[in-house]
Amino acid sequence: MSCCSEAVALPKHKDMAKVAINLSTGALQQEEVIVGIDLGTTNSLVAYIHPETKKPVAINDLGRGTIVPSVVHFTPNGETIVGNDAKEYLTTDPSNTIYSVKRLLGKSYKDLGEHKDYFGYKIIDDDSEGLVKIRVGDKFYSPIELSAEILKELRERAEHALKTPVNRAVITVPAYFNDSQRQATRDAGKLAGLEVLRIVNEPTAASLAYGIGIDPAEEKTIAVYDLGGGTFDISILSIHQGIFEVLSTHGDTYLGGDDLDRAIINYWIQENELIADTLNRDKNLQQELRLKAEEAKKTLSSNEVYTSNLGDNIECYITRHTFEELIAPIVAKTIDSCRMAMADAKLKPEQIDAVIMVGGSTRVPLVYEAVSEFFGKPANNTLNPDEVVALGAAIQADILAGNRKDILLLDVTPLTLGIETMGGLMDSIIPRNSKIPTKAGRQYTTSIDGQVNMKISVYQGERDLVKENRKLAEFDLKGIPAMPAGFPKVDVNFILNADGILKVEAIELRSGVRQEVEVKPQYGLTDSQVEQMLMDSITHAREDVSARMVIEARTTAEQMLYQVERFLEKNGEHLTEEEINLTRENLQKLRDALPSGDKDQILKAVDILEEQTSPFAERVMQISIKKAMAGKKIE
Ligand code: ADP
Ligand code: MG
């Protein structure tokens, strides 16, 4: 799978990737910087390689600091504000201020599970397997669009600070991100006007920043401990011949610096009745208290005591010793994760060559000590833990730009390989620039009840609509047993071997029905055609992404129409006439919105229909449960 190993090196192979080299060595856009971007849950940064010192530097535009909080605020007139200025609206205008959007990337509403209430803004539940959308006023945004706002801000800051256009980037993602989260990150880059040369794992980038894995002769096993604002992960990597292989990852996507702040707040409330009293009376103080707690935590990373005033006469006091007692259970939890990751990788602490600290929260001395003790060696923390991922991404960008001649070269695939999904969209399975051989796959299902055949069309290219890409093959997976829509599970696997031959296989898991085809993607394709395809995807990037979003909205709408109509047919008897009429009206409104080609209008109609009909399903369920119980009694 593409998430499990990564190559740092530059693409080079006589027919696999000649053109990618031309592009990345600047044949088309010479002398251009390629930036490295850490798109974080809490904070984001952009870095580049300084042309004179050749060292990575995080960009600090207009002296605003290198860190850009990953917060997007929508003003009443629809403009967006990103970063520190947006953060201020988190408490004053939560429904128009989006934070932690990275948690939603590539996810469906169902994926959010128990964490649905974590978010202070409205996430649309269309009860589908489709990706989540966020409602801000009358507009609907995908996490991709919101992440793109953050990337645009980073891009603008880089362009402003470096005084040059920035069109290409390497973006980092957590090692545990799946294909759909990685694809969403690529799309966000695209929407921000960036050509994403590669998606790199955050621990890989951190390792590169420390210079580990740059020399291909080096063989190492490392641990990367990343404690950020709201997430924690530990990754064990094996590095050999310039390839970073993720041996294991562990962590908690809802554990981070915020929990340390909360521990301090609870302590103050418990210690000082005046604080609890005042808080009840004055809600604005809550935010102030939160900020104070974070300030206290940061102060205690380098001082023994913190003291400050809240309002006129309330004292906030805490010592490092107390703080450490409060957070010991949280730190212990992260060490448990380290233990599990090591067990999964089947390694002992003494087999780890280096431990790398990433994320602002690793500045807490207790965290540093606990990690160093667990691994039995001092962890690396000489680089700024907030910046280290972005710095490494910049190094990876520099390698891809061909500026490091000493790097091992690997074979890669020059164009994306994927299949057609509903609405004529390209669903990428093996992204371009993936090293070969490689194997990747995804699961699909049917959209119509009783569907027994599924057409698999294989395409090559970078455009969002398959009609703009190159068709490689097509086959029917026949004999799927008749089941309701959404029930069959069809695994589609792409296996690209070292000779560039692609095997595509489709298997319906419930029945075992199977079909496969083999093609040679590069056959009959000249270098200049590949180059043209890449260029086209860059020039059409924005319109492609917008077209994709409209098609996705339409697909969601069509599925919703199908489901609600079917529901009315089957269960109409349990609804009142009034309810049926209103449902019919809302169905018609949705049908009318479809041809508009306006995704917000379509999604709004979906949302209205969804809110109106969602109680019905539950009612019908209750009725059928009652019936079943009644049946039992008669026996
Ligand atoms: P993410 O990767 O999740 O976007 P970061 O790596 O930027 O997050 O970490 C942000 C967290 O680091 C915040 O909770 C912040 O309070 C914390 N942090 C920053 N500086 C310090 C410090 N000096 N001591 C303790 N925690 C810190
Ligand atoms: Mg981070």
Side-chain angles (χ1 to χ4, degrees):
M1 291 289 290
S2 57
C3 66
C4 294
S5 62
E6 284 182 291
V8 252
L10 175 74
K12 189 194 172 194
H13 186 281
K14 67 180 183 343
D15 47 42
M16 288 306 289
K18 222 175 200 166
V19 175
I21 296 174
N22 283 348
L23 275 179
S24 41
T25 50
L28 291 164
Q29 299 153 293
Q30 242 151 8
E31 298 285 310
E32 197 205 348
V33 289
I34 307 179
V35 293
I37 293 179
D38 171 6
L39 183 62
T41 310
T42 316
N43 295 313
S44 298
L45 288 90
V46 51
Y48 78 120
I49 300 292
H50 194 281
E52 273 132 42
T53 63
K54 307 282 179 219
K55 293 237 154 55
V57 191
I59 291 172
N60 179 355
D61 182 39
L62 297 172
R64 287 175 285 184
T66 56
I67 291 175
V68 180
S70 307
V71 181
V72 182
H73 172 69
F74 290 87
T75 66
N77 49 23
E79 281 163 16
T80 51
I81 304 176
V82 176
N84 264 320
D85 297 341
K87 218 175 154 181
E88 290 171 14
Y89 294 97
L90 278 174
T91 38
T92 56
D93 190 8
S95 55
N96 294 313
T97 311
I98 315 297
Y99 58 91
S100 284
V101 69
K102 184 173 176 179
R103 296 184 187 284
L104 302 174
L105 265 185
K107 296 240 170 131
S108 73
Y109 192 75
K110 284 193 177 131
D111 291 335
L112 299 183
E114 57 180 304
H115 297 295
K116 286 174 183 129
D117 299 331
Y118 170 90
F119 304 90
Y121 41 87
K122 181 164 183 192
I123 301 175
I124 304 303
D125 172 14
D126 57 9
D127 200 30
S128 74
E129 304 285 343
L131 300 181
V132 297
K133 275 150 220 103
I134 292 133
R135 182 166 184 173
V136 182
D138 267 352
K139 293 254 184 192
F140 292 80
Y141 297 94
S142 67
I144 295 175
E145 290 170 284
L146 296 165
S147 303
E149 291 297 327
I150 299 168
L151 291 172
K152 263 186 229 161
E153 174 74 21
L154 294 171
R155 178 181 176 209
E156 277 164 21
R157 288 192 186 196
E159 289 185 332
H160 188 257
L162 307 179
K163 301 186 177 52
T164 171
V166 172
N167 297 311
R168 296 187 294 168
V170 165
I171 305 179
T172 58
V173 297
Y176 58 78
F177 256 30
N178 65 24
D179 284 335
S180 125
Q181 292 167 299
R182 283 163 200 265
Q183 187 56 41
T185 307
R186 274 181 187 275
D187 287 346
K190 212 166 165 185
L191 199 59
L194 290 167
E195 186 196 350
V196 181
L197 288 187
R198 188 167 287 172
I199 295 288
V200 180
N201 286 338
E202 287 161 13
T204 300
S207 171
L208 289 173
Y210 275 100
I212 301 173
I214 293 184
D215 175 2
E218 194 174 40
E219 301 227 338
K220 286 225 155 104
T221 309
I222 63 164
V224 182
Y225 177 102
D226 184 346
L227 190 60
T231 61
F232 163 66
D233 48 278
I234 169 82
S235 311
I236 312 295
L237 309 182
S238 149
I239 305 162
H240 46 91
Q241 299 178 338
I243 310 258
F244 284 72
E245 191 185 347
V246 181
L247 299 180
S248 66
T249 67
H250 214 279
D252 185 337
T253 47
Y254 288 85
L255 179 80
D258 297 345
D259 298 284
L260 308 185
D261 302 347
R262 218 166 291 127
I264 299 181
I265 295 174
N266 292 342
Y267 168 72
W268 281 340
I269 291 179
Q270 202 182 19
E271 286 295 296
N272 191 336
E273 280 172 17
L274 211 52
I275 293 186
D277 270 6
T278 321
L279 272 186
N280 283 336
R281 272 182 284 117
D282 186 353
K283 293 280 171 222
N284 288 338
L285 272 188
Q286 260 170 15
Q287 169 68 352
E288 211 180 306
L289 193 63
R290 251 180 37 199
L291 293 175
K292 282 248 179 289
E294 189 180 3
E295 187 181 271
K297 171 185 74 177
K298 290 184 182 173
T299 306
L300 294 178
S301 291
S302 46
N303 294 276
E304 291 297 325
V305 184
Y306 172 84
T307 172
S308 169
N309 284 332
L310 182 70
D312 293 332
N313 52 2
I314 305 175
E315 200 196 18
C316 293
Y317 173 87
I318 186 168
T319 64
R320 186 189 290 178
H321 180 76
T322 308
F323 176 59
E324 292 186 344
E325 276 178 1
L326 295 173
I327 65 166
I330 299 175
V331 177
K333 231 172 135 182
T334 69
I335 298 298
D336 285 343
S337 286
C338 294
R339 198 169 290 122
M340 286 188 258
M342 291 293 282
D344 288 348
K346 299 192 174 52
L347 290 172
K348 297 203 171 60
E350 56 271 23
Q351 290 169 287
I352 296 290
D353 299 307
V355 182
I356 293 175
M357 298 298 259
V358 179
S361 303
T362 58
R363 286 217 181 82
V364 173
L366 182 68
V367 171
Y368 179 81
E369 284 154 24
V371 174
S372 300
E373 189 194 311
F374 174 78
F375 287 101
K377 54 183 72 66
N380 286 291
N381 69 346
T382 48
L383 293 174
N384 182 336
D386 305 314
E387 294 182 356
V388 58
V389 168
L391 298 179
I395 294 175
Q396 173 70 79
D398 199 42
I399 295 171
L400 288 174
N403 296 337
R404 304 211 173 198
K405 304 283 179 269
D406 51 336
I407 300 284
L408 175 84
L409 307 170
L410 288 159
D411 294 348
V412 300
T413 173
L415 293 169
T416 298
L417 299 164
I419 68 167
E420 175 176 0
T421 53
M422 274 179 85
L425 287 176
M426 172 87 172
D427 204 24
S428 95
I429 301 210
I430 299 179
R432 91 180 184 87
N433 267 349
S434 298
K435 95 181 156 68
I436 59 166
T438 186
K439 186 171 181 257
R442 246 183 213 201
Q443 201 168 76
Y444 299 91
T445 189
T446 53
S447 53
I448 299 170
D449 285 344
Q451 188 177 333
V452 291
N453 290 339
M454 186 185 262
K455 194 198 285 172
I456 311 282
S457 305
V458 183
Y459 283 85
Q460 174 183 45
E462 309 312 306
R463 303 291 299 273
D464 284 276
L465 300 180
V466 290
K467 68 175 170 36
E468 313 283 357
N469 287 332
R470 187 169 178 251
K471 190 176 205 168
L472 296 177
E474 185 174 285
F475 62 94
D476 279 317
L477 180 64
K478 287 194 186 131
I480 302 173
M483 286 180 250
F487 270 74
K489 286 186 177 162
V490 178
D491 266 0
V492 175
N493 295 315
F494 276 39
I495 301 129
L496 187 59
N497 74 14
D499 301 321
I501 293 168
L502 173 71
K503 183 162 99 177
V504 178
E505 59 171 24
I507 313 162
E508 201 290 303
L509 298 180
R510 293 178 194 268
S511 59
V513 185
R514 193 174 174 286
Q515 188 65 253
E516 67 172 55
V517 69
E518 263 185 23
V519 276
K520 187 150 192 201
Q522 292 319 101
Y523 187 76
L525 195 61
T526 66
D527 285 356
S528 62
Q529 280 171 319
V530 174
E531 197 162 325
Q532 189 58 47
M533 286 169 85
L534 290 173
M535 279 309 286
D536 284 349
S537 77
I538 299 166
T539 18
H540 296 284
R542 273 178 231 215
E543 65 197 73
D544 269 15
V545 179
S546 335
R548 170 185 285 273
M549 284 174 182
V550 175
I551 293 174
E552 281 171 355
R554 209 179 279 155
T555 304
T556 307
E558 278 162 3
Q559 280 170 349
M560 183 87 195
L561 283 172
Y562 180 72
Q563 280 165 11
V564 176
E565 279 163 1
R566 207 176 43 166
F567 185 89
L568 275 189
E569 268 168 40
K570 278 198 199 154
N571 301 302
E573 49 171 329
H574 303 305
L575 307 183
T576 66
E577 201 171 319
E578 215 173 301
E579 283 171 338
I580 293 180
N581 288 340
L582 186 58
T583 310
R584 292 231 164 91
E585 233 171 77
N586 285 334
L587 277 170
Q588 192 51 43
K589 275 189 197 146
L590 180 53
R591 262 183 233 114
D592 292 342
L594 270 185
S596 71
D598 176 340
K599 81 169 188 345
D600 291 313
Q601 209 173 317
I602 298 172
L603 290 173
K604 196 169 169 185
V606 168
D607 196 29
I608 291 171
L609 184 61
E610 165 63 33
E611 286 209 345
Q612 187 231 327
T613 57
S614 61
F616 297 168
E618 187 158 333
R619 188 188 313 164
V620 170
M621 180 116 83
Q622 296 290 346
I623 290 170
S624 53
I625 291 172
K626 271 198 197 123
K627 267 193 195 152
M629 306 274 269
K632 273 205 186 103
K633 261 188 220 145
I634 294 169
E635 275 179 8

